[in-house]
Amino acid sequence: LAKDWIIVELGNLKEERAADLILTHLTDMKYQYDGYVADEALKSIGGKHVCQQLEKMALGPDETSRNAVDILCAIEQEKCLPTMRKILKSNSPARTNALQAMARLGSPDDLPILIPLSDYWTADRLYHYWTMEAIASIRQRFRYNVNGPMP
């Protein structure tokens, strides 16, 4: 509890020198919901160093990549899309989180990447639902149908 309080205070102070300590704390968390305190502190601190470290974590093979994707998207918004595209092409456990980010932040330029991933028979069925959700969200936000932009 004391450690969580310290992390919250460092986040409130936007203490950039504490970013590596908080990133380490985030890495030590076993499950996605355990990282809430570190998540909020890193969002408050932000900055280039934090985003670079989160990108490395997001591309990693362990479960902390899920937290890293969510925090990175919260900090960088659309700037994180190139990283999300890399994750979709990888075997990362954060692919679901990357697809959810694509649903919120993606653009019609992402449809050529997402549509092949949505094929139920040839693509990864485990991610079919989230891929379809991302495609539908992008099409709805930008007024696209299966043929392209709607008049």
Side-chain angles (χ1 to χ4, degrees), residues 81 85 88 98-115 130-146 148-150:
L81 287 173
R85 292 179 193 115
L88 292 179
L99 285 165
Q100 290 171 343
M102 296 293 273
R104 290 188 316 273
L105 306 169
S107 70
D109 297 337
D110 295 314
L111 292 174
I113 296 167
L114 293 170
I115 289 173
W130 288 282
T131 306
M132 293 302 296
E133 186 178 89
I135 292 169
S137 177
I138 291 169
R139 284 180 173 162
Q140 183 177 17
R141 277 185 313 173
F142 292 94
R143 296 191 37 83
Y144 268 57
N145 63 21
V146 293
M150 293 188 293

PDB file of all heavy atoms in Angstrom, residues 81 85 88 98-115 130-146 148-150:
ATOM      1  N   LEU A  81      -0.239   4.676 -33.346  1.00  0.00           N
ATOM      2  CA  LEU A  81      -0.731   3.731 -34.352  1.00  0.00           C
ATOM      3  C   LEU A  81       0.367   2.920 -35.051  1.00  0.00           C
ATOM      4  O   LEU A  81       0.163   1.722 -35.284  1.00  0.00           O
ATOM      5  CB  LEU A  81      -1.616   4.454 -35.373  1.00  0.00           C
ATOM      6  CG  LEU A  81      -2.987   4.859 -34.828  1.00  0.00           C
ATOM      7  CD1 LEU A  81      -3.735   5.708 -35.845  1.00  0.00           C
ATOM      8  CD2 LEU A  81      -3.802   3.651 -34.436  1.00  0.00           C
ATOM      9  N   ARG A  85       0.263  -1.186 -35.231  1.00  0.00           N
ATOM     10  CA  ARG A  85       0.371  -1.969 -36.472  1.00  0.00           C
ATOM     11  C   ARG A  85       1.456  -3.036 -36.345  1.00  0.00           C
ATOM     12  O   ARG A  85       1.279  -4.164 -36.810  1.00  0.00           O
ATOM     13  CB  ARG A  85       0.647  -1.042 -37.648  1.00  0.00           C
ATOM     14  CG  ARG A  85      -0.519  -0.137 -37.965  1.00  0.00           C
ATOM     15  CD  ARG A  85      -0.221   0.801 -39.139  1.00  0.00           C
ATOM     16  NE  ARG A  85      -1.241   1.835 -39.200  1.00  0.00           N
ATOM     17  CZ  ARG A  85      -1.011   3.128 -38.994  1.00  0.00           C
ATOM     18  NH1 ARG A  85       0.211   3.572 -38.770  1.00  0.00           N
ATOM     19  NH2 ARG A  85      -2.003   3.996 -39.054  1.00  0.00           N
ATOM     20  N   LEU A  88       0.107  -5.901 -34.254  1.00  0.00           N
ATOM     21  CA  LEU A  88      -0.833  -6.751 -34.987  1.00  0.00           C
ATOM     22  C   LEU A  88      -0.108  -7.779 -35.851  1.00  0.00           C
ATOM     23  O   LEU A  88      -0.640  -8.860 -36.107  1.00  0.00           O
ATOM     24  CB  LEU A  88      -1.759  -5.906 -35.860  1.00  0.00           C
ATOM     25  CG  LEU A  88      -2.756  -5.039 -35.108  1.00  0.00           C
ATOM     26  CD1 LEU A  88      -3.602  -4.244 -36.093  1.00  0.00           C
ATOM     27  CD2 LEU A  88      -3.632  -5.868 -34.199  1.00  0.00           C
ATOM     28  N   ALA A  98      -4.229  -3.917 -28.874  1.00  0.00           N
ATOM     29  CA  ALA A  98      -3.890  -3.139 -30.069  1.00  0.00           C
ATOM     30  C   ALA A  98      -5.103  -3.004 -30.983  1.00  0.00           C
ATOM     31  O   ALA A  98      -5.346  -1.932 -31.552  1.00  0.00           O
ATOM     32  CB  ALA A  98      -2.730  -3.787 -30.816  1.00  0.00           C
ATOM     33  N   LEU A  99      -5.885  -4.054 -31.103  1.00  0.00           N
ATOM     34  CA  LEU A  99      -7.099  -3.983 -31.926  1.00  0.00           C
ATOM     35  C   LEU A  99      -8.126  -3.036 -31.313  1.00  0.00           C
ATOM     36  O   LEU A  99      -8.804  -2.297 -32.033  1.00  0.00           O
ATOM     37  CB  LEU A  99      -7.694  -5.377 -32.127  1.00  0.00           C
ATOM     38  CG  LEU A  99      -6.931  -6.256 -33.109  1.00  0.00           C
ATOM     39  CD1 LEU A  99      -7.356  -7.712 -32.970  1.00  0.00           C
ATOM     40  CD2 LEU A  99      -7.128  -5.768 -34.538  1.00  0.00           C
ATOM     41  N   GLN A 100      -8.233  -3.043 -30.006  1.00  0.00           N
ATOM     42  CA  GLN A 100      -9.143  -2.103 -29.345  1.00  0.00           C
ATOM     43  C   GLN A 100      -8.678  -0.667 -29.569  1.00  0.00           C
ATOM     44  O   GLN A 100      -9.499   0.226 -29.787  1.00  0.00           O
ATOM     45  CB  GLN A 100      -9.232  -2.405 -27.852  1.00  0.00           C
ATOM     46  CG  GLN A 100      -9.951  -3.697 -27.552  1.00  0.00           C
ATOM     47  CD  GLN A 100      -9.844  -4.108 -26.097  1.00  0.00           C
ATOM     48  OE1 GLN A 100      -8.997  -3.633 -25.352  1.00  0.00           O
ATOM     49  NE2 GLN A 100     -10.702  -5.027 -25.693  1.00  0.00           N
ATOM     50  N   ALA A 101      -7.375  -0.448 -29.551  1.00  0.00           N
ATOM     51  CA  ALA A 101      -6.834   0.886 -29.827  1.00  0.00           C
ATOM     52  C   ALA A 101      -7.110   1.284 -31.275  1.00  0.00           C
ATOM     53  O   ALA A 101      -7.447   2.436 -31.555  1.00  0.00           O
ATOM     54  CB  ALA A 101      -5.334   0.917 -29.545  1.00  0.00           C
ATOM     55  N   MET A 102      -6.980   0.333 -32.192  1.00  0.00           N
ATOM     56  CA  MET A 102      -7.267   0.618 -33.599  1.00  0.00           C
ATOM     57  C   MET A 102      -8.741   0.996 -33.769  1.00  0.00           C
ATOM     58  O   MET A 102      -9.069   1.868 -34.566  1.00  0.00           O
ATOM     59  CB  MET A 102      -6.939  -0.587 -34.475  1.00  0.00           C
ATOM     60  CG  MET A 102      -5.475  -0.958 -34.504  1.00  0.00           C
ATOM     61  SD  MET A 102      -4.444   0.255 -35.285  1.00  0.00           S
ATOM     62  CE  MET A 102      -4.551  -0.266 -36.954  1.00  0.00           C
ATOM     63  N   ALA A 103      -9.610   0.365 -33.007  1.00  0.00           N
ATOM     64  CA  ALA A 103     -11.036   0.697 -33.080  1.00  0.00           C
ATOM     65  C   ALA A 103     -11.281   2.138 -32.641  1.00  0.00           C
ATOM     66  O   ALA A 103     -12.103   2.843 -33.222  1.00  0.00           O
ATOM     67  CB  ALA A 103     -11.853  -0.259 -32.206  1.00  0.00           C
ATOM     68  N   ARG A 104     -10.568   2.594 -31.630  1.00  0.00           N
ATOM     69  CA  ARG A 104     -10.738   3.954 -31.116  1.00  0.00           C
ATOM     70  C   ARG A 104      -9.986   5.003 -31.925  1.00  0.00           C
ATOM     71  O   ARG A 104     -10.469   6.123 -32.077  1.00  0.00           O
ATOM     72  CB  ARG A 104     -10.254   4.046 -29.659  1.00  0.00           C
ATOM     73  CG  ARG A 104     -11.108   3.340 -28.668  1.00  0.00           C
ATOM     74  CD  ARG A 104     -10.658   3.654 -27.234  1.00  0.00           C
ATOM     75  NE  ARG A 104      -9.227   3.631 -27.010  1.00  0.00           N
ATOM     76  CZ  ARG A 104      -8.520   2.538 -26.692  1.00  0.00           C
ATOM     77  NH1 ARG A 104      -9.124   1.381 -26.585  1.00  0.00           N
ATOM     78  NH2 ARG A 104      -7.221   2.620 -26.474  1.00  0.00           N
ATOM     79  N   LEU A 105      -8.795   4.656 -32.399  1.00  0.00           N
ATOM     80  CA  LEU A 105      -7.895   5.662 -32.957  1.00  0.00           C
ATOM     81  C   LEU A 105      -7.585   5.474 -34.445  1.00  0.00           C
ATOM     82  O   LEU A 105      -7.043   6.383 -35.066  1.00  0.00           O
ATOM     83  CB  LEU A 105      -6.562   5.637 -32.195  1.00  0.00           C
ATOM     84  CG  LEU A 105      -6.650   5.790 -30.680  1.00  0.00           C
ATOM     85  CD1 LEU A 105      -5.306   5.478 -30.036  1.00  0.00           C
ATOM     86  CD2 LEU A 105      -7.119   7.182 -30.309  1.00  0.00           C
ATOM     87  N   GLY A 106      -7.894   4.307 -34.993  1.00  0.00           N
ATOM     88  CA  GLY A 106      -7.510   3.987 -36.365  1.00  0.00           C
ATOM     89  C   GLY A 106      -8.194   4.862 -37.402  1.00  0.00           C
ATOM     90  O   GLY A 106      -9.168   5.555 -37.126  1.00  0.00           O
ATOM     91  N   SER A 107      -7.664   4.802 -38.614  1.00  0.00           N
ATOM     92  CA  SER A 107      -8.189   5.588 -39.727  1.00  0.00           C
ATOM     93  C   SER A 107      -8.465   4.639 -40.906  1.00  0.00           C
ATOM     94  O   SER A 107      -8.082   3.462 -40.857  1.00  0.00           O
ATOM     95  CB  SER A 107      -7.182   6.652 -40.140  1.00  0.00           C
ATOM     96  OG  SER A 107      -6.057   6.047 -40.749  1.00  0.00           O
ATOM     97  N   PRO A 108      -9.087   5.138 -41.964  1.00  0.00           N
ATOM     98  CA  PRO A 108      -9.309   4.290 -43.139  1.00  0.00           C
ATOM     99  C   PRO A 108      -8.021   3.711 -43.720  1.00  0.00           C
ATOM    100  O   PRO A 108      -8.049   2.670 -44.376  1.00  0.00           O
ATOM    101  CB  PRO A 108      -9.993   5.225 -44.131  1.00  0.00           C
ATOM    102  CG  PRO A 108     -10.697   6.217 -43.271  1.00  0.00           C
ATOM    103  CD  PRO A 108      -9.780   6.422 -42.092  1.00  0.00           C
ATOM    104  N   ASP A 109      -6.894   4.352 -43.458  1.00  0.00           N
ATOM    105  CA  ASP A 109      -5.606   3.811 -43.919  1.00  0.00           C
ATOM    106  C   ASP A 109      -5.280   2.476 -43.265  1.00  0.00           C
ATOM    107  O   ASP A 109      -4.450   1.721 -43.774  1.00  0.00           O
ATOM    108  CB  ASP A 109      -4.482   4.803 -43.625  1.00  0.00           C
ATOM    109  CG  ASP A 109      -4.648   6.116 -44.379  1.00  0.00           C
ATOM    110  OD1 ASP A 109      -5.332   6.127 -45.420  1.00  0.00           O
ATOM    111  OD2 ASP A 109      -4.093   7.130 -43.915  1.00  0.00           O
ATOM    112  N   ASP A 110      -5.917   2.181 -42.144  1.00  0.00           N
ATOM    113  CA  ASP A 110      -5.670   0.926 -41.441  1.00  0.00           C
ATOM    114  C   ASP A 110      -6.525  -0.229 -41.971  1.00  0.00           C
ATOM    115  O   ASP A 110      -6.243  -1.384 -41.662  1.00  0.00           O
ATOM    116  CB  ASP A 110      -5.930   1.101 -39.942  1.00  0.00           C
ATOM    117  CG  ASP A 110      -4.949   2.064 -39.312  1.00  0.00           C
ATOM    118  OD1 ASP A 110      -3.748   1.935 -39.599  1.00  0.00           O
ATOM    119  OD2 ASP A 110      -5.386   2.940 -38.546  1.00  0.00           O
ATOM    120  N   LEU A 111      -7.532   0.077 -42.748  1.00  0.00           N
ATOM    121  CA  LEU A 111      -8.412  -0.984 -43.261  1.00  0.00           C
ATOM    122  C   LEU A 111      -7.670  -2.029 -44.093  1.00  0.00           C
ATOM    123  O   LEU A 111      -7.946  -3.227 -43.928  1.00  0.00           O
ATOM    124  CB  LEU A 111      -9.587  -0.386 -44.033  1.00  0.00           C
ATOM    125  CG  LEU A 111     -10.596   0.389 -43.165  1.00  0.00           C
ATOM    126  CD1 LEU A 111     -11.644   1.062 -44.043  1.00  0.00           C
ATOM    127  CD2 LEU A 111     -11.245  -0.526 -42.144  1.00  0.00           C
ATOM    128  N   PRO A 112      -6.726  -1.648 -44.965  1.00  0.00           N
ATOM    129  CA  PRO A 112      -6.009  -2.693 -45.708  1.00  0.00           C
ATOM    130  C   PRO A 112      -5.213  -3.653 -44.813  1.00  0.00           C
ATOM    131  O   PRO A 112      -4.957  -4.785 -45.196  1.00  0.00           O
ATOM    132  CB  PRO A 112      -5.062  -1.898 -46.622  1.00  0.00           C
ATOM    133  CG  PRO A 112      -5.702  -0.572 -46.771  1.00  0.00           C
ATOM    134  CD  PRO A 112      -6.401  -0.315 -45.471  1.00  0.00           C
ATOM    135  N   ILE A 113      -4.845  -3.211 -43.632  1.00  0.00           N
ATOM    136  CA  ILE A 113      -4.152  -4.085 -42.681  1.00  0.00           C
ATOM    137  C   ILE A 113      -5.161  -4.970 -41.952  1.00  0.00           C
ATOM    138  O   ILE A 113      -4.933  -6.158 -41.737  1.00  0.00           O
ATOM    139  CB  ILE A 113      -3.357  -3.248 -41.656  1.00  0.00           C
ATOM    140  CG1 ILE A 113      -2.262  -2.467 -42.365  1.00  0.00           C
ATOM    141  CG2 ILE A 113      -2.778  -4.118 -40.549  1.00  0.00           C
ATOM    142  CD1 ILE A 113      -1.624  -1.393 -41.508  1.00  0.00           C
ATOM    143  N   LEU A 114      -6.297  -4.375 -41.578  1.00  0.00           N
ATOM    144  CA  LEU A 114      -7.279  -5.079 -40.743  1.00  0.00           C
ATOM    145  C   LEU A 114      -8.142  -6.075 -41.521  1.00  0.00           C
ATOM    146  O   LEU A 114      -8.466  -7.143 -40.994  1.00  0.00           O
ATOM    147  CB  LEU A 114      -8.178  -4.060 -40.043  1.00  0.00           C
ATOM    148  CG  LEU A 114      -7.493  -3.189 -38.993  1.00  0.00           C
ATOM    149  CD1 LEU A 114      -8.421  -2.068 -38.545  1.00  0.00           C
ATOM    150  CD2 LEU A 114      -7.049  -4.032 -37.812  1.00  0.00           C
ATOM    151  N   ILE A 115      -8.514  -5.736 -42.729  1.00  0.00           N
ATOM    152  CA  ILE A 115      -9.450  -6.597 -43.477  1.00  0.00           C
ATOM    153  C   ILE A 115      -8.897  -8.013 -43.675  1.00  0.00           C
ATOM    154  O   ILE A 115      -9.623  -8.984 -43.423  1.00  0.00           O
ATOM    155  CB  ILE A 115      -9.897  -5.916 -44.780  1.00  0.00           C
ATOM    156  CG1 ILE A 115     -10.822  -4.750 -44.414  1.00  0.00           C
ATOM    157  CG2 ILE A 115     -10.598  -6.898 -45.715  1.00  0.00           C
ATOM    158  CD1 ILE A 115     -11.220  -3.856 -45.565  1.00  0.00           C
ATOM    159  N   TRP A 130     -12.407  -8.940 -32.294  1.00  0.00           N
ATOM    160  CA  TRP A 130     -11.822  -7.612 -32.095  1.00  0.00           C
ATOM    161  C   TRP A 130     -11.423  -6.973 -33.424  1.00  0.00           C
ATOM    162  O   TRP A 130     -11.503  -5.761 -33.573  1.00  0.00           O
ATOM    163  CB  TRP A 130     -10.636  -7.695 -31.149  1.00  0.00           C
ATOM    164  CG  TRP A 130     -11.083  -7.942 -29.742  1.00  0.00           C
ATOM    165  CD1 TRP A 130     -11.602  -7.036 -28.867  1.00  0.00           C
ATOM    166  CD2 TRP A 130     -11.108  -9.183 -29.066  1.00  0.00           C
ATOM    167  NE1 TRP A 130     -11.926  -7.642 -27.683  1.00  0.00           N
ATOM    168  CE2 TRP A 130     -11.632  -8.965 -27.778  1.00  0.00           C
ATOM    169  CE3 TRP A 130     -10.733 -10.480 -29.418  1.00  0.00           C
ATOM    170  CZ2 TRP A 130     -11.782  -9.980 -26.848  1.00  0.00           C
ATOM    171  CZ3 TRP A 130     -10.884 -11.486 -28.486  1.00  0.00           C
ATOM    172  CH2 TRP A 130     -11.407 -11.230 -27.223  1.00  0.00           C
ATOM    173  N   THR A 131     -11.025  -7.793 -34.371  1.00  0.00           N
ATOM    174  CA  THR A 131     -10.690  -7.254 -35.688  1.00  0.00           C
ATOM    175  C   THR A 131     -11.936  -6.705 -36.362  1.00  0.00           C
ATOM    176  O   THR A 131     -11.918  -5.599 -36.924  1.00  0.00           O
ATOM    177  CB  THR A 131     -10.050  -8.349 -36.569  1.00  0.00           C
ATOM    178  OG1 THR A 131      -8.940  -8.924 -35.863  1.00  0.00           O
ATOM    179  CG2 THR A 131      -9.573  -7.777 -37.876  1.00  0.00           C
ATOM    180  N   MET A 132     -13.024  -7.459 -36.300  1.00  0.00           N
ATOM    181  CA  MET A 132     -14.281  -7.000 -36.898  1.00  0.00           C
ATOM    182  C   MET A 132     -14.782  -5.729 -36.200  1.00  0.00           C
ATOM    183  O   MET A 132     -15.298  -4.816 -36.842  1.00  0.00           O
ATOM    184  CB  MET A 132     -15.345  -8.099 -36.824  1.00  0.00           C
ATOM    185  CG  MET A 132     -15.027  -9.313 -37.681  1.00  0.00           C
ATOM    186  SD  MET A 132     -14.807  -8.926 -39.426  1.00  0.00           S
ATOM    187  CE  MET A 132     -16.440  -8.354 -39.849  1.00  0.00           C
ATOM    188  N   GLU A 133     -14.606  -5.672 -34.889  1.00  0.00           N
ATOM    189  CA  GLU A 133     -15.012  -4.484 -34.132  1.00  0.00           C
ATOM    190  C   GLU A 133     -14.209  -3.261 -34.572  1.00  0.00           C
ATOM    191  O   GLU A 133     -14.757  -2.165 -34.735  1.00  0.00           O
ATOM    192  CB  GLU A 133     -14.812  -4.750 -32.647  1.00  0.00           C
ATOM    193  CG  GLU A 133     -15.319  -3.652 -31.757  1.00  0.00           C
ATOM    194  CD  GLU A 133     -15.138  -4.013 -30.295  1.00  0.00           C
ATOM    195  OE1 GLU A 133     -14.061  -3.702 -29.757  1.00  0.00           O
ATOM    196  OE2 GLU A 133     -16.060  -4.597 -29.717  1.00  0.00           O
ATOM    197  N   ALA A 134     -12.900  -3.430 -34.771  1.00  0.00           N
ATOM    198  CA  ALA A 134     -12.045  -2.318 -35.203  1.00  0.00           C
ATOM    199  C   ALA A 134     -12.457  -1.839 -36.599  1.00  0.00           C
ATOM    200  O   ALA A 134     -12.564  -0.630 -36.849  1.00  0.00           O
ATOM    201  CB  ALA A 134     -10.582  -2.742 -35.191  1.00  0.00           C
ATOM    202  N   ILE A 135     -12.705  -2.769 -37.501  1.00  0.00           N
ATOM    203  CA  ILE A 135     -13.117  -2.408 -38.862  1.00  0.00           C
ATOM    204  C   ILE A 135     -14.443  -1.658 -38.833  1.00  0.00           C
ATOM    205  O   ILE A 135     -14.592  -0.610 -39.471  1.00  0.00           O
ATOM    206  CB  ILE A 135     -13.210  -3.670 -39.756  1.00  0.00           C
ATOM    207  CG1 ILE A 135     -11.811  -4.249 -39.986  1.00  0.00           C
ATOM    208  CG2 ILE A 135     -13.899  -3.352 -41.083  1.00  0.00           C
ATOM    209  CD1 ILE A 135     -11.814  -5.629 -40.613  1.00  0.00           C
ATOM    210  N   ALA A 136     -15.403  -2.182 -38.091  1.00  0.00           N
ATOM    211  CA  ALA A 136     -16.726  -1.544 -38.015  1.00  0.00           C
ATOM    212  C   ALA A 136     -16.620  -0.147 -37.407  1.00  0.00           C
ATOM    213  O   ALA A 136     -17.274   0.792 -37.877  1.00  0.00           O
ATOM    214  CB  ALA A 136     -17.675  -2.412 -37.199  1.00  0.00           C
ATOM    215  N   SER A 137     -15.810   0.000 -36.403  1.00  0.00           N
ATOM    216  CA  SER A 137     -15.654   1.304 -35.749  1.00  0.00           C
ATOM    217  C   SER A 137     -15.046   2.331 -36.698  1.00  0.00           C
ATOM    218  O   SER A 137     -15.515   3.464 -36.782  1.00  0.00           O
ATOM    219  CB  SER A 137     -14.786   1.146 -34.511  1.00  0.00           C
ATOM    220  OG  SER A 137     -14.569   2.384 -33.906  1.00  0.00           O
ATOM    221  N   ILE A 138     -14.013   1.925 -37.421  1.00  0.00           N
ATOM    222  CA  ILE A 138     -13.374   2.842 -38.369  1.00  0.00           C
ATOM    223  C   ILE A 138     -14.358   3.214 -39.471  1.00  0.00           C
ATOM    224  O   ILE A 138     -14.491   4.386 -39.835  1.00  0.00           O
ATOM    225  CB  ILE A 138     -12.090   2.218 -38.961  1.00  0.00           C
ATOM    226  CG1 ILE A 138     -11.019   2.132 -37.869  1.00  0.00           C
ATOM    227  CG2 ILE A 138     -11.588   3.024 -40.156  1.00  0.00           C
ATOM    228  CD1 ILE A 138      -9.807   1.304 -38.248  1.00  0.00           C
ATOM    229  N   ARG A 139     -15.054   2.220 -39.982  1.00  0.00           N
ATOM    230  CA  ARG A 139     -16.030   2.507 -41.053  1.00  0.00           C
ATOM    231  C   ARG A 139     -17.124   3.437 -40.570  1.00  0.00           C
ATOM    232  O   ARG A 139     -17.558   4.326 -41.299  1.00  0.00           O
ATOM    233  CB  ARG A 139     -16.624   1.199 -41.588  1.00  0.00           C
ATOM    234  CG  ARG A 139     -15.679   0.445 -42.489  1.00  0.00           C
ATOM    235  CD  ARG A 139     -16.296  -0.827 -42.993  1.00  0.00           C
ATOM    236  NE  ARG A 139     -15.438  -1.452 -43.993  1.00  0.00           N
ATOM    237  CZ  ARG A 139     -15.531  -2.713 -44.353  1.00  0.00           C
ATOM    238  NH1 ARG A 139     -16.454  -3.503 -43.798  1.00  0.00           N
ATOM    239  NH2 ARG A 139     -14.727  -3.206 -45.259  1.00  0.00           N
ATOM    240  N   GLN A 140     -17.576   3.254 -39.358  1.00  0.00           N
ATOM    241  CA  GLN A 140     -18.643   4.101 -38.834  1.00  0.00           C
ATOM    242  C   GLN A 140     -18.148   5.530 -38.604  1.00  0.00           C
ATOM    243  O   GLN A 140     -18.816   6.492 -38.975  1.00  0.00           O
ATOM    244  CB  GLN A 140     -19.180   3.527 -37.527  1.00  0.00           C
ATOM    245  CG  GLN A 140     -20.329   4.324 -36.970  1.00  0.00           C
ATOM    246  CD  GLN A 140     -20.894   3.707 -35.715  1.00  0.00           C
ATOM    247  OE1 GLN A 140     -20.252   2.871 -35.079  1.00  0.00           O
ATOM    248  NE2 GLN A 140     -22.093   4.104 -35.352  1.00  0.00           N
ATOM    249  N   ARG A 141     -16.976   5.684 -38.005  1.00  0.00           N
ATOM    250  CA  ARG A 141     -16.456   7.033 -37.721  1.00  0.00           C
ATOM    251  C   ARG A 141     -16.157   7.826 -38.981  1.00  0.00           C
ATOM    252  O   ARG A 141     -16.328   9.034 -39.004  1.00  0.00           O
ATOM    253  CB  ARG A 141     -15.182   6.952 -36.881  1.00  0.00           C
ATOM    254  CG  ARG A 141     -15.450   6.800 -35.418  1.00  0.00           C
ATOM    255  CD  ARG A 141     -14.177   6.848 -34.661  1.00  0.00           C
ATOM    256  NE  ARG A 141     -13.278   5.952 -35.395  1.00  0.00           N
ATOM    257  CZ  ARG A 141     -12.009   5.779 -35.160  1.00  0.00           C
ATOM    258  NH1 ARG A 141     -11.451   6.430 -34.236  1.00  0.00           N
ATOM    259  NH2 ARG A 141     -11.284   4.955 -35.845  1.00  0.00           N
ATOM    260  N   PHE A 142     -15.704   7.151 -40.026  1.00  0.00           N
ATOM    261  CA  PHE A 142     -15.305   7.855 -41.245  1.00  0.00           C
ATOM    262  C   PHE A 142     -16.309   7.705 -42.384  1.00  0.00           C
ATOM    263  O   PHE A 142     -16.013   8.061 -43.514  1.00  0.00           O
ATOM    264  CB  PHE A 142     -13.913   7.372 -41.702  1.00  0.00           C
ATOM    265  CG  PHE A 142     -12.825   7.786 -40.766  1.00  0.00           C
ATOM    266  CD1 PHE A 142     -12.398   6.943 -39.747  1.00  0.00           C
ATOM    267  CD2 PHE A 142     -12.235   9.037 -40.876  1.00  0.00           C
ATOM    268  CE1 PHE A 142     -11.397   7.324 -38.874  1.00  0.00           C
ATOM    269  CE2 PHE A 142     -11.236   9.429 -40.006  1.00  0.00           C
ATOM    270  CZ  PHE A 142     -10.819   8.570 -39.005  1.00  0.00           C
ATOM    271  N   ARG A 143     -17.497   7.179 -42.060  1.00  0.00           N
ATOM    272  CA  ARG A 143     -18.566   7.002 -43.050  1.00  0.00           C
ATOM    273  C   ARG A 143     -18.086   6.208 -44.264  1.00  0.00           C
ATOM    274  O   ARG A 143     -18.164   6.660 -45.401  1.00  0.00           O
ATOM    275  CB  ARG A 143     -19.156   8.346 -43.470  1.00  0.00           C
ATOM    276  CG  ARG A 143     -19.850   9.072 -42.326  1.00  0.00           C
ATOM    277  CD  ARG A 143     -20.668  10.261 -42.739  1.00  0.00           C
ATOM    278  NE  ARG A 143     -21.397  10.178 -43.976  1.00  0.00           N
ATOM    279  CZ  ARG A 143     -22.597   9.603 -44.144  1.00  0.00           C
ATOM    280  NH1 ARG A 143     -23.186   9.046 -43.117  1.00  0.00           N
ATOM    281  NH2 ARG A 143     -23.196   9.605 -45.315  1.00  0.00           N
ATOM    282  N   TYR A 144     -17.573   5.023 -44.000  1.00  0.00           N
ATOM    283  CA  TYR A 144     -17.133   4.098 -45.044  1.00  0.00           C
ATOM    284  C   TYR A 144     -18.086   2.917 -45.075  1.00  0.00           C
ATOM    285  O   TYR A 144     -18.631   2.525 -44.051  1.00  0.00           O
ATOM    286  CB  TYR A 144     -15.728   3.569 -44.743  1.00  0.00           C
ATOM    287  CG  TYR A 144     -14.613   4.368 -45.346  1.00  0.00           C
ATOM    288  CD1 TYR A 144     -14.472   5.726 -45.082  1.00  0.00           C
ATOM    289  CD2 TYR A 144     -13.672   3.762 -46.160  1.00  0.00           C
ATOM    290  CE1 TYR A 144     -13.429   6.449 -45.608  1.00  0.00           C
ATOM    291  CE2 TYR A 144     -12.625   4.483 -46.708  1.00  0.00           C
ATOM    292  CZ  TYR A 144     -12.504   5.819 -46.434  1.00  0.00           C
ATOM    293  OH  TYR A 144     -11.478   6.535 -46.973  1.00  0.00           O
ATOM    294  N   ASN A 145     -18.279   2.347 -46.258  1.00  0.00           N
ATOM    295  CA  ASN A 145     -18.946   1.052 -46.356  1.00  0.00           C
ATOM    296  C   ASN A 145     -17.945   0.092 -46.997  1.00  0.00           C
ATOM    297  O   ASN A 145     -16.770   0.433 -47.140  1.00  0.00           O
ATOM    298  CB  ASN A 145     -20.266   1.144 -47.115  1.00  0.00           C
ATOM    299  CG  ASN A 145     -20.114   1.560 -48.552  1.00  0.00           C
ATOM    300  OD1 ASN A 145     -19.040   1.433 -49.149  1.00  0.00           O
ATOM    301  ND2 ASN A 145     -21.176   2.054 -49.147  1.00  0.00           N
ATOM    302  N   VAL A 146     -18.378  -1.079 -47.424  1.00  0.00           N
ATOM    303  CA  VAL A 146     -17.445  -2.050 -47.979  1.00  0.00           C
ATOM    304  C   VAL A 146     -16.789  -1.565 -49.264  1.00  0.00           C
ATOM    305  O   VAL A 146     -15.745  -2.052 -49.664  1.00  0.00           O
ATOM    306  CB  VAL A 146     -18.092  -3.433 -48.179  1.00  0.00           C
ATOM    307  CG1 VAL A 146     -18.437  -4.057 -46.866  1.00  0.00           C
ATOM    308  CG2 VAL A 146     -19.293  -3.348 -49.086  1.00  0.00           C
ATOM    309  N   GLY A 148     -15.953   1.718 -49.818  1.00  0.00           N
ATOM    310  CA  GLY A 148     -15.175   2.928 -49.571  1.00  0.00           C
ATOM    311  C   GLY A 148     -16.027   4.012 -48.968  1.00  0.00           C
ATOM    312  O   GLY A 148     -17.059   3.759 -48.355  1.00  0.00           O
ATOM    313  N   PRO A 149     -15.625   5.289 -49.161  1.00  0.00           N
ATOM    314  CA  PRO A 149     -16.360   6.409 -48.544  1.00  0.00           C
ATOM    315  C   PRO A 149     -17.793   6.509 -49.065  1.00  0.00           C
ATOM    316  O   PRO A 149     -18.048   6.290 -50.255  1.00  0.00           O
ATOM    317  CB  PRO A 149     -15.575   7.640 -48.964  1.00  0.00           C
ATOM    318  CG  PRO A 149     -14.292   7.156 -49.522  1.00  0.00           C
ATOM    319  CD  PRO A 149     -14.469   5.735 -49.919  1.00  0.00           C
ATOM    320  N   MET A 150     -18.689   6.816 -48.154  1.00  0.00           N
ATOM    321  CA  MET A 150     -20.088   7.018 -48.548  1.00  0.00           C
ATOM    322  C   MET A 150     -20.303   8.505 -48.857  1.00  0.00           C
ATOM    323  O   MET A 150     -19.713   9.346 -48.185  1.00  0.00           O
ATOM    324  CB  MET A 150     -21.037   6.577 -47.433  1.00  0.00           C
ATOM    325  CG  MET A 150     -21.033   5.103 -47.182  1.00  0.00           C
ATOM    326  SD  MET A 150     -22.307   4.557 -46.041  1.00  0.00           S
ATOM    327  CE  MET A 150     -21.794   5.273 -44.510  1.00  0.00           C
TER     328      MET A 150
END
